Amino acid sequence: MIHLAVDGRGRPMCILITPGQAGDNPQLLPLLHGIRVARPGPRHPRVRPEAVIPDKAYSRPSTRNSAAHAARTFLCPERGDQIARRASLGGVWRAATGLRRPT
C-alpha cells in the first residue's frame, strides 16, 4: 500500500510503502514525521505542517489526538458512526471530553 503526503499543489513530500494488509491509521504519524521543508539559509528544515487534511480512514479519536500535536491544523471528516455515537451520548460526551458539541 502506498501512503503519500503531498503539499498544497499535489507535489509529494513523503512516501511510505507498506504491505497491503497494513492499516492506514498506524502509518499517519510516521508519514507526518517524514515531512521536511527546506528553509532559506542555514536553518533547520521545518517539520511541522501547517495543516493536515486526511480522508475518513484517519478519523479515529486516537489518531486525531496524535495528529493534533504533529500538525498545526488537523481537518479530518468524521465517520457516520462516530457522529451517531457522539449524538447518543449527549451531555455525557461533552462532560467527559470537555468539548462543545459541534452544531
Side-chain angles (χ1 to χ4, degrees):
M1 185 176 299
I2 298 174
H3 305 273
L4 183 66
V6 298
D7 66 3
R9 296 181 180 172
R11 296 178 294 196
M13 298 179 72
C14 182
I15 299 172
L16 290 178
I17 299 175
T18 60
Q21 69 271 19
D24 290 328
N25 279 305
Q27 305 308 320
L28 180 62
L29 290 179
L31 192 65
L32 292 178
H33 292 305
I35 295 174
R36 300 280 183 266
V37 178
R39 295 181 184 185
R43 301 183 331 180
H44 292 289
R46 187 168 56 96
V47 296
R48 190 172 182 207
E50 290 292 326
V52 175
I53 307 173
D55 62 7
K56 288 184 181 182
Y58 298 98
S59 68
R60 293 185 55 141
S62 59
T63 304
R64 285 178 175 276
N65 292 337
S66 299
H69 297 292
R72 297 185 200 286
T73 305
F74 186 72
L75 304 169
C76 184
E78 290 185 291
R79 295 188 324 245
D81 63 329
Q82 291 173 335
I83 294 169
R85 175 156 171 73
R86 189 177 62 245
S88 71
L89 291 176
V92 175
W93 176 83
R94 188 171 36 255
T97 61
L99 300 174
R100 291 183 307 114
R101 181 186 304 201
T103 55

